[in-house]
Structures are given as C-alpha cells and as structure tokens.
Amino acid sequence: MLFLRFSAIGLLCGVVLVPLAWIQRGDEFEHLRLAALMGLDVAQVVTVPIALAVGAWKVRPWSKRPRPSPPGFVLGGVTFAFGVLVMTQAMATTSWLEGRPSGVGDPDGESFMAMLAVLSGGVTLLISAVILINRSVALRRSRKVSYAAYGAVT
C-alpha cells in the first residue's frame, strides 16, 4: 500500500511542475488544454520516480521510526477526482486532435501525448480505486465484533 501511496502522491505532484513544461502553440482553449496535458505528462515522468525514491527512503528497514499509516479516504478521493479530470480532458483532446486542427505542429506526436495522458488518468483511477477499496475493507474489518471475546461459542 505504501507503493500506491507514494505513486499517487507522485502523480498528484505532477501538477506543480506543469508551468515549467509549458509549450502552447495556439490561443484557443483546445491548445491550452493540450499544452496542460503535455506539461502534465512531462512533469509526471519527473515526479513519480522522485516520490517513489522518497517513499523507499522513508520506509527503509533500518529506520527506527514507525511505518506510515496506510493511505486513507482523502488521498483516494482526491486521486480519484484528479484521475477523472485528467482522463476526461485527455479524451476530449484526443477527439479534437483526430480532426487535424490548425495550429498543431505534429498531430501524430501530440496525439501520442494525449493518449499518454489518457493512460496516466487511467492509472491514476486504478491506483485510487485500489486505495479506496483497501481502506474500506480495512475499516470494515476493524468494526467487526469478535464473538469469542464475549464468551459466545462459535
């Protein structure tokens, strides 16, 4: 679960680096959306490995600190919403690029970047779903009453 936690944090932190990887060619909203998705793809290539390296360093076996708690509903919910946003915007951009719009330099390359953003949104949705399901199961297990503790025969 810690791998999923730090993967989700890395995917979410990609938003911070989007302005550094900004390449916008046109003035329309579709060009703005394409530039944001391309920046997000590039930023996530940088932030996910960094988050995983920091996570591996934090949970090293020789550490005297206790392991972090498993990810909860807040991280799962925010990651789910982010995945839905990225995936819907990437799918809209992909359909826009299929029409061969004007002002796009390399439609095939930018279509690949949009499909990569769809894949990124799908992976983000998958990670968030696993986090939410695992946390729900853990919560349900913690609330079960043990009849053996009350002296009942099972």
Side-chain angles (χ1 to χ4, degrees):
M1 283 312 294
L2 294 174
F3 175 77
L4 294 176
R5 166 188 266 176
F6 290 112
S7 296
I9 290 171
L11 289 167
L12 292 172
C13 287
V15 174
V16 176
L17 296 180
V18 168
L20 299 177
W22 196 263
I23 304 169
Q24 184 176 354
R25 294 182 187 257
D27 294 332
E28 298 176 7
F29 175 73
E30 286 83 10
H31 291 278
L32 177 72
R33 181 171 37 198
L34 177 64
L37 288 173
M38 287 173 48
L40 182 67
D41 288 340
V42 171
Q44 285 178 343
V45 167
V46 174
T47 58
V48 171
I50 290 173
L52 290 175
V54 168
W57 179 73
K58 283 187 81 113
V59 297
R60 62 193 181 275
W62 57 86
S63 176
K64 293 181 172 61
R65 293 175 45 184
R67 292 179 65 127
S69 63
F73 290 115
V74 174
L75 180 65
V78 169
T79 306
F80 188 82
F82 179 72
V84 167
L85 177 71
V86 169
M87 196 163 191
T88 56
Q89 295 304 308
M91 290 172 68
T93 302
T94 302
S95 65
W96 172 69
L97 285 170
E98 287 175 359
R100 303 293 183 205
S102 63
V104 176
D106 180 19
D108 293 331
E110 292 176 352
S111 294
F112 174 74
M113 293 299 283
M115 290 305 293
L116 192 63
V118 170
L119 180 65
S120 170
V123 167
T124 305
L125 281 173
L126 182 67
I127 288 173
S128 66
V130 170
I131 289 172
L132 289 171
I133 290 169
N134 188 16
R135 193 60 179 170
S136 298
V137 168
L139 184 65
R140 191 167 292 162
R141 283 185 185 162
S142 70
R143 291 187 177 173
K144 280 191 176 179
V145 177
S146 174
Y147 294 111
Y150 294 110
V153 178
T154 56

